[in-house]
Amino acid sequence: MEFIRVPQLNANEDEVQVVEVAVSEGQKVKKGDLLCTLESTKATQDLEAPVAGYVRRLAVEPGEQIAVGELICALTKRPDEPVETMQERRPRASSKGEVRTTRRAEALIEEYDVDIDKINHSGIITERDVLQLLGISRDDLRAPTDRPGGPSATIDEGRKDGIVVYGAGGHARVVIDMIREGRRDLHLVGLIDDADDGPQQVQGVPVVGDANRLHELRERGVTMAALGIGAVTHNALRAELFERLVRLGFELPNIVHPDATVESSVRMGQGNQIFAGAVVSSHVRLGDNSIINSNSVVSHDCTIGDHVHVTPGALLAGGVSVGARTVVGMGATVYLGVEIGSDVVVPNGTDVHDDLRDR
Ligand code: JB2
């Protein structure tokens, strides 16, 4: 199942306008089919289906202002697959049973204290249905100051499963997928990127601001963060950003790809990321914030410090120790019991037989 959320079209705009909705509830779509067209003050974007599926929980309608990160719809593989989204509003009870409402219709019902039994609708109550009953047009509506949406709507207050990813480059792409695959219990709130010219969204996850936004996100109930910056040989930057997230009070969960092997006797701190195909063998000890990248092997009884990066295809034999912030290069082989110090960069493809001192 894929949840389609509103991307950020402009860095400084937290809302977009829904210009057109090209699908209806339950409709079957192919990958690449148009779902809807969104517009900010500077850009228009056609949002296409990233995968084939059935449109479910369609939550937008033309003319609606909607906050970045809010749900547009879900795409399910089967037409009757259960869809659970915590963003969903509870259906309202009418005299004819329960009835769903769009976000905007719901706001109007509340604001104008509308009796929903009097609303004519065809399955889901939309804003247009409510306006028709009220006998007014959108232009007649009261000032939208207290309406849902805007920056506050991008975060679900009080949710304990929200996670923000710091970074919006290559490493963040992998972390997003790992969270989607390996931590389905978590809800991706958005990305933080400090670059002025960075992307507005990555794989459907909106960039919600730079590091200045982190404090606010934490205050508003986002409890978890993941570091989405790999930074290749700059583990000091990863260490610094990790410490910043911890100081702000975020919990950094360990994220393990479902296709990694991590033995039950492994012990690790927090914020570690273990990629697809990696093997972390018996009695390994991992500190905090280390990356064990694709197809690397950390054999039994190894000790890996904080902020370490064991890069793709690296092979650590049994009992190896690796100091803080060290990078073990791609395809490097480290022999039994070798001790590698802190801040070392082990070159790609090398054989390491002897201990390496702190750099
Ligand atoms: O100095 C910085 C800085 N430099 C880059 N401070 C802060 N706060 N952020 C910085 N960034 C951010 O890191 C950029 O704004 C961007 O969001 C991200 C860099 O993206 P890039 O794709 O260049 O690198 P990456 O770290 O995501 O991934 C590299 O490292 C991985 C381990 C890539 O080369 C991957 O191929 C590699 N697998």
Side-chain angles (χ1 to χ4, degrees):
M1 184 181 327
E2 190 92 15
F3 289 108
I4 313 297
R5 298 180 188 280
V6 178
Q8 188 136 29
L9 303 188
N10 289 333
N12 297 323
E13 284 182 63
D14 290 316
E15 276 196 330
V16 300
Q17 170 108 22
V18 181
V19 180
E20 187 200 339
V21 179
V23 289
S24 50
E25 179 74 17
Q27 185 179 329
K28 191 176 179 182
V29 291
K30 298 191 298 297
K31 182 178 174 183
D33 279 356
L34 179 66
L35 297 176
C36 62
T37 305
L38 305 172
E39 191 175 79
S40 69
T41 55
K42 291 190 189 138
T44 300
Q45 184 174 314
D46 285 339
L47 206 64
E48 295 172 352
V51 293
Y54 292 87
V55 175
R56 307 285 300 286
R57 298 290 186 267
L58 184 62
V60 292
E61 57 183 306
E64 186 177 18
Q65 281 294 120
I66 183 167
V68 170
E70 287 231 31
L71 187 72
I72 291 176
C73 65
L75 293 176
T76 59
K77 287 192 180 134
R78 288 179 287 103
D80 53 355
E81 193 175 324
V83 183
E84 285 173 24
T85 153
M86 304 209 25
Q87 287 207 340
E88 211 182 331
R89 292 171 304 282
R90 259 199 239 136
R92 280 190 165 249
S94 80
S95 59
K96 296 176 200 127
E98 291 193 327
V99 59
R100 283 182 51 222
T101 59
T102 66
R103 193 181 350 255
R104 209 165 168 91
E106 182 69 28
L108 283 181
I109 291 168
E110 288 292 327
E111 193 171 351
Y112 288 82
D113 198 18
V114 175
D115 177 354
I116 64 161
D117 276 342
K118 293 187 177 152
I119 305 172
N120 281 323
H121 62 88
S122 47
I124 301 173
I125 298 177
T126 65
E127 181 190 42
R128 195 179 309 142
D129 300 329
V130 185
L131 290 174
Q132 211 158 41
L133 178 72
L134 293 170
I136 57 176
S137 75
R138 292 198 73 219
D139 296 340
D140 301 326
L141 292 175
R142 293 172 199 157
T145 43
D146 294 326
R147 297 269 169 69
S152 62
T154 61
I155 309 302
D156 297 331
E157 307 275 352
R159 281 186 68 158
K160 295 281 177 270
D161 59 348
I163 184 164
V164 62
V165 174
Y166 196 155
H171 192 70
R173 290 189 183 287
V174 185
V175 170
I176 289 168
D177 278 344
M178 293 223 303
I179 291 172
R180 285 178 170 157
E181 290 297 317
R183 293 299 304 256
R184 286 168 193 247
D185 53 320
L186 302 182
H187 162 71
L188 276 159
V189 164
L191 307 178
I192 294 294
D193 188 19
D194 292 327
D196 290 336
D197 55 353
Q200 291 167 0
Q201 56 97 21
V202 176
Q203 286 157 212
V205 184
V207 175
V208 294
D210 62 17
N212 294 321
R213 186 106 202 259
L214 283 167
H215 176 69
E216 179 209 333
L217 293 179
R218 184 66 198 87
E219 289 282 291
R220 290 171 56 190
V222 180
T223 56
M224 279 175 277
L227 195 52
I229 293 176
V232 194
T233 56
H234 291 74
N235 275 338
L237 172 65
R238 289 186 50 247
E240 185 189 319
L241 299 180
F242 172 84
E243 299 300 344
R244 185 189 294 179
L245 291 169
V246 170
R247 272 198 308 276
L248 283 162
F250 286 103
E251 178 195 334
L252 283 94
N254 294 310
I255 299 169
V256 179
H257 193 283
D259 292 333
T261 302
V262 178
E263 300 297 355
S264 58
S265 56
V266 171
R267 294 288 171 268
M268 57 178 117
Q270 60 168 335
N272 297 291
Q273 299 169 354
I274 302 181
F275 281 37
V279 176
V280 183
S281 189
S282 305
H283 209 258
V284 166
R285 297 288 176 263
L286 280 171
D288 295 332
N289 192 36
S290 286
I291 301 170
I292 310 298
N293 217 310
S294 316
N295 287 339
S296 60
V297 176
V298 180
S299 302
H300 68 92
D301 296 296
C302 283
T303 305
I304 310 292
D306 298 335
H307 324 295
V308 168
H309 189 170
V310 178
T311 68
L315 177 55
L316 309 187
V320 166
S321 67
V322 181
R325 298 172 299 281
T326 281
V327 179
V328 183
M330 289 187 289
T333 302
V334 184
Y335 283 71
L336 200 69
V338 166
E339 292 180 16
I340 301 176
S342 303
D343 299 298
V344 175
V345 177
V346 177
N348 293 342
T350 50
D351 281 351
V352 182
H353 296 266
D354 302 317
D355 295 350
L356 296 172
R357 282 182 298 161
D358 297 348
R359 203 183 65 170

mmCIF file with all atom_site columns, all heavy atoms in Angstrom, residues 159 188 213:
data_model
loop_
_atom_site.group_PDB
_atom_site.id
_atom_site.type_symbol
_atom_site.label_atom_id
_atom_site.label_alt_id
_atom_site.label_comp_id
_atom_site.label_asym_id
_atom_site.label_entity_id
_atom_site.label_seq_id
_atom_site.pdbx_PDB_ins_code
_atom_site.Cartn_x
_atom_site.Cartn_y
_atom_site.Cartn_z
_atom_site.occupancy
_atom_site.B_iso_or_equiv
_atom_site.pdbx_formal_charge
_atom_site.auth_seq_id
_atom_site.auth_comp_id
_atom_site.auth_asym_id
_atom_site.auth_atom_id
_atom_site.pdbx_PDB_model_num
ATOM 1  N N   . ARG A 1 159 ? 0.768  12.590 18.008 1.00 0.00 ? 159 ARG A N   1
ATOM 2  C CA  . ARG A 1 159 ? 1.117  11.275 17.493 1.00 0.00 ? 159 ARG A CA  1
ATOM 3  C C   . ARG A 1 159 ? 2.478  10.894 18.016 1.00 0.00 ? 159 ARG A C   1
ATOM 4  O O   . ARG A 1 159 ? 3.394  11.685 18.032 1.00 0.00 ? 159 ARG A O   1
ATOM 5  C CB  . ARG A 1 159 ? 1.139  11.296 15.969 1.00 0.00 ? 159 ARG A CB  1
ATOM 6  C CG  . ARG A 1 159 ? -0.216 11.231 15.370 1.00 0.00 ? 159 ARG A CG  1
ATOM 7  C CD  . ARG A 1 159 ? -0.125 11.115 13.894 1.00 0.00 ? 159 ARG A CD  1
ATOM 8  N NE  . ARG A 1 159 ? 0.433  9.832  13.506 1.00 0.00 ? 159 ARG A NE  1
ATOM 9  C CZ  . ARG A 1 159 ? 0.242  9.291  12.303 1.00 0.00 ? 159 ARG A CZ  1
ATOM 10 N NH1 . ARG A 1 159 ? -0.463 9.914  11.413 1.00 0.00 ? 159 ARG A NH1 1
ATOM 11 N NH2 . ARG A 1 159 ? 0.770  8.126  12.018 1.00 0.00 ? 159 ARG A NH2 1
ATOM 12 N N   . LEU A 1 188 ? 6.300  8.801  8.409  1.00 0.00 ? 188 LEU A N   1
ATOM 13 C CA  . LEU A 1 188 ? 7.270  9.802  7.931  1.00 0.00 ? 188 LEU A CA  1
ATOM 14 C C   . LEU A 1 188 ? 6.601  11.171 7.870  1.00 0.00 ? 188 LEU A C   1
ATOM 15 O O   . LEU A 1 188 ? 5.712  11.405 7.052  1.00 0.00 ? 188 LEU A O   1
ATOM 16 C CB  . LEU A 1 188 ? 7.759  9.409  6.541  1.00 0.00 ? 188 LEU A CB  1
ATOM 17 C CG  . LEU A 1 188 ? 8.905  8.399  6.497  1.00 0.00 ? 188 LEU A CG  1
ATOM 18 C CD1 . LEU A 1 188 ? 8.959  7.715  5.154  1.00 0.00 ? 188 LEU A CD1 1
ATOM 19 C CD2 . LEU A 1 188 ? 10.223 9.083  6.818  1.00 0.00 ? 188 LEU A CD2 1
ATOM 20 N N   . ARG A 1 213 ? 13.650 24.305 11.966 1.00 0.00 ? 213 ARG A N   1
ATOM 21 C CA  . ARG A 1 213 ? 12.292 23.801 12.192 1.00 0.00 ? 213 ARG A CA  1
ATOM 22 C C   . ARG A 1 213 ? 12.265 22.646 13.211 1.00 0.00 ? 213 ARG A C   1
ATOM 23 O O   . ARG A 1 213 ? 11.189 22.265 13.713 1.00 0.00 ? 213 ARG A O   1
ATOM 24 C CB  . ARG A 1 213 ? 11.728 23.342 10.834 1.00 0.00 ? 213 ARG A CB  1
ATOM 25 C CG  . ARG A 1 213 ? 10.282 22.913 10.822 1.00 0.00 ? 213 ARG A CG  1
ATOM 26 C CD  . ARG A 1 213 ? 9.373  23.915 10.166 1.00 0.00 ? 213 ARG A CD  1
ATOM 27 N NE  . ARG A 1 213 ? 7.992  23.743 10.611 1.00 0.00 ? 213 ARG A NE  1
ATOM 28 C CZ  . ARG A 1 213 ? 7.052  23.136 9.913  1.00 0.00 ? 213 ARG A CZ  1
ATOM 29 N NH1 . ARG A 1 213 ? 7.296  22.674 8.708  1.00 0.00 ? 213 ARG A NH1 1
ATOM 30 N NH2 . ARG A 1 213 ? 5.825  23.009 10.406 1.00 0.00 ? 213 ARG A NH2 1
#
